[in-house]
Amino acid sequence: MVEARTRPAWAEVDLDAVAQNVALLARRVAPAALCAVVKADAYGHGAAPVARTAIESGAAWLAVAVVDEGLELREHGIAAPVLVLSEVMPDAAEVLVRGGLTATVTTRAGIDALAAAARRAGTRAHVHVKVDTGMHRVGATPEEAAPLIDAAEAEPALRVEGVWTHLAVADATTEEDRAFTSLQLERFDKVVAALRARPPLLHAANTAGAVAWPAARYDMVRCGIGLYGYAPSRAIADGSAGADVASFVGSLRPALTLKARVSEVRELDAGERPSYGRRRALPERGVVATVPIGYADGVPRRLFDAGCPVLISGRRRPLAGVVTMDQLLVDCGPGARVARGDEVVLIGRQGTEEITAQEWAERLGTITYEVLCGIGPRVPRVHAGRGVR
Ligand SMILES: *Cc1c(COP(=O)(O)O)cnc(C)c1O
């Protein structure tokens, strides 16, 4: 039994599941390389243990959103190449270079700042140029891209390793969305065709692109959500993107379980209304359990209105009132044999029952990504599997 020492609420992360998901993804996209996206603390799973597991299980690269995330990996002794997914502020270029991270550049100013930083550090900076083919978030326009890449190639302090783009709707399967992904890939191909030299790594696909769009794999794919065992969208999971795609994502295994222990138990009369706002009356006299995890930990207050249960004694039990900052209340029903210290599963399996991050996402009207990233830093991460280090 693994759990946190000082607080009876924790997220258990099964590194064997991560390792298996990485191996499955790597095999599916080969000969393209796999870049494990471990931004946002590996979608809440713990960046360093996940990154180490990913590299040991077949990923060649890591990617992060911000420089500090890359430095954290280096501080943990992780030596694999780490791509920072956006162009950084000029002031951050030198920290990036000295950290041995690989930069994304999208502008001439970005190239100049990076080259200057590399010269000050007495090294060559590794760069990937990002092209905006339709996501319209980050990147040079397809027209700007070729001259920009040529300019970076001409800069002795830089080594252009990659050119990449990002797909906006690879997880969607309507005719219009599929046409848009094709258009993005065509625009990307056109940019690449106009280059004087083809850099070693072209990449475009997120998890959805990697599993459902073979033409988007190029030399490398950047997978996040799949590493953690979830499909990027319902359309990818339900067969709309093909039975083979659905069966593949169905073989991925969710790695995170969110757990806590009952901290208090009380028996209340029918009609009592626990928690702030006194929103719900107990239908019958019954047992109400207090669980020490709340919205400050990433258990959304809306979970009550969304009707999302938790698992206690292997059964789904409704919340007895709104989630508070640090605690929530569970209606365990009449005569329930629930005691202080009993295990509560908010996300994961208990006995034969399972509540997934996907179920939370659907009930809350969001996506699994937001649910997983929302689990706060106050929740200890406990890593299991792979002989835990
Ligand atoms: C987050 C991110 C990814 C990973 O996306 P998933 O859908 O989680 O696989 C890939 N590329 C970029 C640029 C990203 O920002």
Side-chain angles (χ1 to χ4, degrees):
M1 172 70 62
V2 287
E3 68 180 80
R5 250 173 303 165
T6 62
R7 191 183 170 200
W10 69 101
E12 201 172 299
V13 177
D14 179 359
L15 295 175
D16 288 340
V18 173
Q20 187 189 313
N21 298 335
V22 168
L24 288 170
L25 285 160
R27 197 183 324 145
R28 183 165 176 97
V29 303
L34 175 63
C35 172
V37 179
V38 296
K39 62 190 178 187
D41 200 28
Y43 294 32
H45 292 61
V50 166
R52 212 177 283 128
T53 300
I55 292 297
E56 289 170 2
S57 308
W61 276 74
L62 301 167
V64 295
V66 301
V67 173
D68 284 348
E69 293 175 331
L71 298 180
E72 186 192 333
L73 297 174
R74 293 290 182 246
E75 279 157 20
H76 282 84
I78 292 162
V82 176
L83 177 64
V84 179
L85 291 167
S86 291
E87 183 175 290
V88 301
M89 304 290 285
D91 285 354
E94 195 167 334
V95 180
L96 182 156
V97 171
R98 290 189 187 275
L101 307 176
T102 300
T104 288
V105 294
T106 59
T107 65
R108 187 65 221 218
I111 288 175
D112 294 345
L114 202 67
R119 280 192 292 272
R120 281 195 301 274
T123 184
R124 273 181 103 192
H126 294 195
V127 307
H128 290 213
V129 179
K130 166 79 197 290
V131 188
D132 173 16
T133 56
M135 170 80 178
H136 300 326
R137 178 174 66 171
V138 160
T141 66
E143 296 70 38
E144 294 162 348
L148 196 69
I149 295 160
D150 290 338
E153 294 271 10
E155 174 55 68
L158 302 184
R159 193 167 99 84
V160 180
E161 264 183 342
V163 175
W164 65 281
T165 192
H166 191 45
L167 304 173
V169 284
D171 64 330
T173 51
T174 66
E175 211 168 298
E176 187 184 335
D177 288 329
R178 291 188 61 81
F180 194 76
T181 298
S182 295
L183 177 66
Q184 285 198 270
L185 296 175
E186 264 169 51
R187 286 174 176 161
F188 188 58
D189 289 339
K190 222 168 122 189
V191 168
V192 171
L195 295 181
R196 256 178 283 179
R198 180 196 188 282
L201 287 173
L202 304 180
H203 50 109
N206 50 10
T207 300
V211 303
W213 286 85
R217 289 177 193 152
Y218 298 93
D219 305 306
M220 181 164 87
V221 302
R222 306 179 307 269
C223 291
I225 198 74
L227 309 177
Y228 310 109
Y230 283 99
S233 66
R234 175 161 280 288
I236 292 287
D238 73 7
S240 318
D244 149 69
V245 170
S247 123
F248 176 79
V249 297
S251 71
L252 302 173
R253 196 147 56 91
L256 181 141
T257 302
L258 184 59
K259 288 182 177 174
R261 292 195 177 279
V262 171
S263 56
E264 296 206 19
V265 177
R266 65 198 77 238
E267 186 147 4
L268 297 175
D269 284 333
E272 287 292 342
R273 295 170 165 271
S275 195
Y276 290 124
R278 307 188 64 236
R279 293 277 308 282
R280 175 178 177 274
L282 281 186
E284 349 175 37
R285 181 177 171 80
V287 175
V288 170
T290 302
V291 183
I293 188 167
Y295 62 75
D297 299 302
V299 179
R301 191 169 177 277
R302 282 176 300 134
L303 218 53
F304 169 72
D305 287 311
C308 192
V310 302
L311 304 178
I312 297 186
S313 314
R315 300 182 63 173
R316 289 175 170 252
R317 295 295 190 189
L319 298 183
V322 293
V323 176
T324 73
M325 190 182 290
D326 314 305
Q327 297 172 89
L328 55 81
L329 300 164
V330 183
D331 179 358
C332 301
R337 291 224 297 274
V338 173
R340 189 173 193 167
D342 281 2
E343 186 185 272
V344 182
V345 171
L346 292 98
I347 295 174
R349 273 181 198 285
Q350 195 185 53
T352 56
E353 282 288 350
E354 183 174 23
I355 295 173
T356 61
Q358 180 67 34
E359 178 174 344
W360 275 33
E362 280 168 19
R363 289 181 182 273
L364 294 165
T366 181
I367 54 177
T368 52
Y369 299 71
E370 193 180 24
V371 168
L372 294 171
C373 294
I375 299 169
R378 198 171 71 172
V379 177
R381 268 52 174 191
V382 181
H383 292 91
R386 295 183 64 75
V388 168
R389 286 125 334 152

